[in-house]
Amino acid sequence: MVERVVDGRGRDMNYTIVDTMMRIDLPQPLSPGQRTAFSINWSFNIIEEAIISGRGGYDHFPDNDTYIYFLAQWFPRLAAYTDYVGWQHQQFLGRGEFTLEFGDYEVEITVPADHIVSAIGELQNASAVLTVEQRRRLDEARSADKPMYIVTPEEALDNEQEGTSDTKTWIFKATNVRDFAWASSRKFIWDAMIHRQDDVVQPEVLAMSFFPNEAEPMWSQYSTHAVVHTMEVYSRFSFPYPYPTAQSVNAWERGGMEYPMITFNGRRPEPFQPDEEDPDPEGKPDRTYSRSSKHGLVGVIIHEIGHIYFPMTVNSDERQWTWMDEGINSFLQYIAELEWEEDFHNHRDHYSILEHVAEYMTSENQVPIMTQSDSILQFGPNGYTKPASSLVVLRETVLGRELFDFAFREYAQRWKFKRPTPADLFRTLEDASGVDLDWFWRGWFYSTDHVDVAINSIREYKVSTANPEVEFELNHQERADEVPETLGQIRNREEGRKTRLERFPELADAYNENDPYTVTNADRNKYTQLLDDLEDWERAALLRAAEDDDFVYFVDFENIGGLVTPLPLLITGTDGSEEFMMIPAEIWRLNHLAVTKMLIRDKPIASIEVDPRRETADADFSNNHYPRRIDRSRLELYKKDDDTRDMMADMLATLREAKGGEDDSARAVPLKPAGND
Ligand SMILES: [Zn+2]
């Protein structure tokens, strides 16, 4: 609620609120390089996030009536003014996020004295708000290469027992940031470690996490490590992390949300479930969590910390183009996840982002990636998965890592603390890689086509020698191979029917003694004449081709999906040999629907497969082999369980059973159940 706007001398200023935007009328226009000052009196109601839903609010823990507060989009922020669109004042409709200016902040936050506050920037008055012990631990964490507690789980439990009517004021300073967000709670455990990087401006970054006991044991194990891991991977692809702190706060149970230096991340383990027979087991076991929860937590932290690079530093317009931050960020998140642990996945084994995107790209109701944020249909796949997948294809298959990584880093460095538009990304990736990618942007970003290439046929040829002594016999053989003997003739013979010629042998003449493939002198003379008439080089070429005796293939490809793609091929010889070959997307430049590729090999080809490593996002692999293969699968007669199984809970239950048993052998129950998960 805005109550009043005053200028630098305290005089009221005119303002008009237009839904989610506000216009303030300056007494006179502000010229480039000039400054003005004004103050806004305003108030903000904190909502219960789980009920009203939003990007901030409070999270209530009914079991012990405690709260975590996390404040975002809580003050009037300056709209962006650009040289390509003027004021960006599209309304906030909920999805197209924010278009913001960089600024410096000094914020004083007064909260109950037993709260711990996490906020954008650096704490300015540690001695006023932290205990001596906490300050000592914080100092120690500044050289720790593993997470260290500033507030331990036990201390956090003590803090949340009793309230206080005293307050403390925490002061934070942040320079050159797009926004300001913070979180506060008496429930917070706090850990930290240092991230060192090769950078003169910001050689050290303090990575921190804030979370309640309800988030344990996942959070102390993974959160701060995930923060540091993100900086290691993302900086390699862009620039050194540009701020002094990087924070992960467990503010809620669902997804995640990003701000400069601070991120709010969901995912907590299952609450402890007491056994009916043994409601209070000795040494209450840890809460358990599923595999997908663990990967979900690490994934969401990578994603939200990653946003501090895109778009908090490379300041693209989120209100207009979701994909410029979500897509690029999801692309780097995917890389960082694969570098966290092998087979990192949220769903199934080896379920790659390209398999996921192919399902989306063949679905109904799509709009191109280049659609304005609030008008996107299927928001996640369109704004996140598809642009991220396109960059995976661009990096691994179209450009290769060397060209892509150089060009992508160039984009990040050119546009950090600036406002790139899509064309700036497209141009930089082309200009810094030296490769024309217009076809790529057109197909992936401006259309709803998908990748689906079929091999429709392979035709095999041998080079004709033109020599009748060789060719007539080959033609004869070919004809015999291709066309079976007439059925009527076969059955006549089976019936023992004699032909007239058989009955009257005197009817035979030269034609019965020589078949149509017999070479005559006239044929031989014609061949000699042909060789004589050729130029010397023509004759040499013909004779060499005849000697090489190569196999010539014409492979017919059809572009069923419409999206132009390079063609990675696996060529298998009849001798079992395998050859990998990459045909660049330029093969489609004259006809984007059907092309034929000629291959010359010195041994025969048995089969060709397009995209054997599943790198192009091809949506239908049933037409990728020639000759076609039989589809093999299993019919499921029963509905399958989903993959949210909490394996850790199952294992603990097994252990508990084992401990309760009399028989010693019960302890030998394997920890890892048989079968996959
Ligand atoms: Zn995001």
Side-chain angles (χ1 to χ4, degrees):
M1 165 77 82
V2 174
E3 282 142 19
R4 202 178 162 201
V5 181
V6 296
D7 69 11
R9 294 190 208 158
R11 293 174 303 200
D12 277 306
M13 297 175 82
N14 283 333
Y15 65 89
T16 306
I17 291 177
V18 189
D19 296 328
T20 62
M21 306 300 284
M22 176 167 84
R23 188 190 76 236
I24 298 175
D25 300 324
L26 299 180
Q28 62 248 359
L30 196 64
S31 300
Q34 283 190 326
R35 293 163 157 260
T36 190
F38 55 85
S39 314
I40 301 177
N41 280 14
W42 55 274
S43 60
F44 179 80
N45 291 330
I46 304 176
I47 59 165
E48 181 164 7
E49 197 282 332
I51 289 173
I52 298 177
S53 184
R55 288 175 174 81
Y58 63 80
D59 190 14
H60 182 221
F61 295 74
D63 282 357
N64 49 12
D65 198 26
T66 49
Y67 296 84
I68 292 174
Y69 299 89
F70 54 115
L71 277 289
Q73 287 88 248
W74 56 290
F75 65 99
R77 298 172 302 180
L78 195 68
Y81 185 82
T82 70
D83 57 4
Y84 61 85
V85 78
W87 287 108
Q88 169 53 289
H89 49 43
Q90 284 181 29
Q91 291 296 335
F92 175 59
L93 300 180
R95 227 163 45 183
E97 289 179 308
F98 310 106
T99 314
L100 298 167
E101 291 288 3
F102 291 103
D104 298 342
Y105 290 78
E106 182 167 346
V107 180
E108 298 184 3
I109 301 166
T110 302
V111 295
D114 53 3
H115 273 216
I116 294 291
V117 177
S118 155
I120 288 174
E122 285 180 298
L123 180 60
Q124 302 297 304
N125 61 337
S127 57
V129 292
L130 301 182
T131 64
V132 174
E133 177 63 11
Q134 285 166 345
R135 278 174 357 232
R136 188 192 62 74
R137 291 173 185 166
L138 193 55
D139 273 350
E140 221 174 296
R142 284 181 195 285
S143 56
D145 53 11
K146 279 180 187 164
M148 278 197 46
Y149 286 121
I150 317 301
V151 176
T152 68
E154 296 73 27
E155 289 163 350
L157 271 185
D158 281 351
N159 273 351
E160 72 179 39
Q161 297 308 320
E162 61 215 75
T164 174
S165 50
D166 293 345
T167 60
K168 276 181 182 170
T169 298
W170 298 58
I171 303 172
F172 291 90
K173 250 186 179 175
T175 335
N176 212 18
V177 288
R178 290 188 3 154
D179 203 350
F180 196 96
W182 54 283
S184 180
S185 178
R186 59 172 56 98
K187 296 177 70 67
F188 278 152
I189 300 166
W190 176 5
D191 74 14
M193 71 181 269
I194 204 71
H195 167 62
R196 293 194 178 82
Q197 55 182 8
D198 186 14
D199 181 39
V200 282
V201 184
Q202 202 65 254
E204 290 186 340
V205 180
L206 194 61
M208 302 188 276
S209 296
F210 300 81
F211 46 95
N213 269 278
E214 285 81 351
E216 283 290 73
M218 287 164 86
W219 271 69
S220 60
Q221 181 142 2
Y222 297 119
S223 177
T224 300
H225 266 293
V227 172
V228 171
H229 179 70
T230 311
M231 291 189 276
E232 283 176 8
V233 175
Y234 276 61
S235 293
R236 222 171 70 219
F237 281 84
S238 54
F239 39 76
Y241 182 85
Y243 296 116
T245 66
Q247 303 165 53
S248 165
V249 182
N250 178 234
W252 50 18
E253 197 118 35
R254 63 181 187 91
M257 191 57 207
E258 69 278 8
Y259 302 93
M261 294 186 246
I262 197 173
T263 61
F264 299 147
N265 300 305
R267 298 273 183 183
R268 292 182 187 132
E270 293 302 313
F272 171 67
Q273 300 290 351
D275 198 308
E276 265 179 38
E277 288 167 25
D278 186 12
D280 191 17
E282 215 179 311
K284 200 168 163 182
D286 271 343
R287 295 173 189 89
T288 62
Y289 48 87
S290 66
R291 186 185 299 269
S292 71
S293 253
K294 170 183 135 172
H295 286 149
L297 175 64
V298 172
V300 76
I301 293 172
I302 291 172
H303 183 94
E304 306 310 340
I305 294 290
H307 271 311
I308 301 176
Y309 293 77
F310 305 91
M312 298 298 151
T313 305
V314 178
N315 189 11
S316 57
D317 184 343
E318 295 180 71
R319 181 74 36 98
Q320 183 67 33
W321 298 293
T322 292
W323 67 268
M324 283 196 77
D325 61 299
E326 297 299 357
I328 287 175
N329 186 34
S330 300
F331 162 67
L332 292 175
Q333 177 195 347
Y334 185 68
I335 291 173
E337 285 176 349
L338 290 180
E339 291 189 25
W340 176 274
E341 67 183 47
E342 286 198 4
D343 291 330
F344 190 106
H345 57 86
N346 290 321
H347 305 286
R348 301 182 229 151
D349 283 336
H350 306 299
Y351 188 68
S352 87
I353 191 170
L354 299 186
E355 201 178 342
H356 190 61
V357 82
E359 279 178 25
Y360 163 64
M361 288 167 74
T362 50
S363 68
E364 298 292 316
N365 297 325
Q366 284 182 65
V367 290
I369 291 178
M370 285 295 287
T371 304
Q372 190 272 338
S373 183
D374 291 288
S375 304
I376 293 173
L377 305 171
Q378 306 196 61
F379 191 66
N382 181 290
Y384 295 62
T385 318
K386 187 177 169 187
S389 305
S390 80
L391 294 177
V392 170
V393 173
L394 191 60
R395 177 174 190 241
E396 302 284 8
T397 303
V398 177
L399 290 178
R401 289 188 170 192
E402 197 182 339
L403 291 185
F404 178 91
D405 293 357
F406 178 86
F408 186 83
R409 202 176 304 114
E410 187 65 25
Y411 165 71
Q413 295 194 348
R414 273 184 199 175
W415 291 99
K416 65 180 174 185
F417 297 110
K418 292 186 188 140
R419 293 190 175 287
T421 64
D424 297 316
L425 173 72
F426 300 157
R427 274 195 292 260
T428 302
L429 289 183
E430 293 194 28
D431 151 70
S433 69
V435 177
D436 174 10
L437 297 169
D438 292 358
W439 61 271
F440 186 84
W441 311 127
R442 178 193 167 111
W444 278 90
F445 288 75
Y446 289 88
S447 90
T448 54
D449 291 340
H450 65 277
V451 180
D452 180 16
V453 172
I455 306 185
N456 283 343
S457 62
I458 301 178
R459 289 164 284 138
E460 182 189 89
Y461 296 88
K462 301 285 286 186
V463 175
S464 169
T465 60
N467 182 352
E469 302 282 6
V470 179
E471 297 302 322
F472 280 25
E473 179 49 33
L474 285 175
N475 289 345
H476 190 182
Q477 195 54 49
E478 216 168 79
R479 176 82 189 155
D481 289 348
E482 274 173 18
V483 185
E485 195 178 7
T486 313
L487 191 55
Q489 182 164 286
I490 295 170
R491 291 200 173 147
N492 282 350
R493 206 183 300 131
E494 284 168 358
E495 285 176 9
R497 201 165 297 284
K498 292 267 187 262
T499 63
R500 191 155 200 92
L501 180 63
E502 283 166 331
R503 289 190 281 140
F504 300 94
E506 65 273 24
L507 293 180
D509 67 358
Y511 290 111
N512 298 102
E513 274 144 38
N514 297 286
D515 67 23
Y517 299 97
T518 303
V519 183
T520 65
N521 279 334
D523 296 324
R524 290 185 191 99
N525 291 341
K526 215 166 128 192
Y527 174 59
T528 313
Q529 191 60 48
L530 168 80
L531 289 182
D532 284 351
D533 289 350
L534 289 178
E535 301 283 341
D536 286 350
W537 70 267
E538 290 174 330
R539 193 179 312 107
L542 176 64
L543 294 176
R544 216 189 73 198
E547 194 188 314
D548 287 352
D549 198 25
D550 282 332
F551 295 84
V552 180
Y553 293 92
F554 293 91
V555 188
D556 299 318
F557 296 98
E558 184 186 356
N559 184 359
I560 295 173
L563 209 157
V564 168
T565 174
L567 299 174
L569 301 183
L570 177 65
I571 303 168
T572 307
T574 50
D575 60 356
S577 61
E578 290 190 337
E579 174 196 346
F580 189 81
M581 179 181 187
M582 178 69 86
I583 303 176
E586 279 75 5
I587 191 172
W588 303 101
R589 70 196 180 283
L590 299 179
N591 182 342
H592 70 284
L593 297 176
V595 291
T596 298
K597 172 72 183 170
M598 184 178 75
L599 299 170
I600 298 174
R601 292 295 180 274
D602 58 9
K603 52 192 183 186
I605 289 174
S607 69
I608 300 184
E609 179 181 1
V610 62
D611 197 10
R613 299 182 303 201
R614 311 249 164 156
E615 59 187 295
T616 67
D618 195 302
D620 178 7
F621 284 93
S622 71
N623 53 24
N624 285 35
H625 297 84
Y626 200 89
R628 293 281 183 267
R629 297 196 308 198
I630 295 176
D631 254 354
R632 294 204 160 80
S633 190
R634 281 172 299 155
L635 291 173
E636 294 293 345
L637 299 185
Y638 300 94
K639 227 174 144 181
K640 261 189 168 172
D641 279 351
D642 63 16
D643 64 355
T644 54
R645 187 158 67 95
D646 186 342
M647 195 168 110
M648 198 177 271
D650 295 349
M651 292 185 332
L652 281 175
T654 311
L655 264 188
R656 245 198 263 170
E657 267 168 41
K659 275 184 187 156
E662 296 287 326
D663 181 1
D664 229 27
S665 67
R667 288 202 181 81
V669 173
L671 258 185
K672 189 176 184 326
N676 54 17
D677 40 79

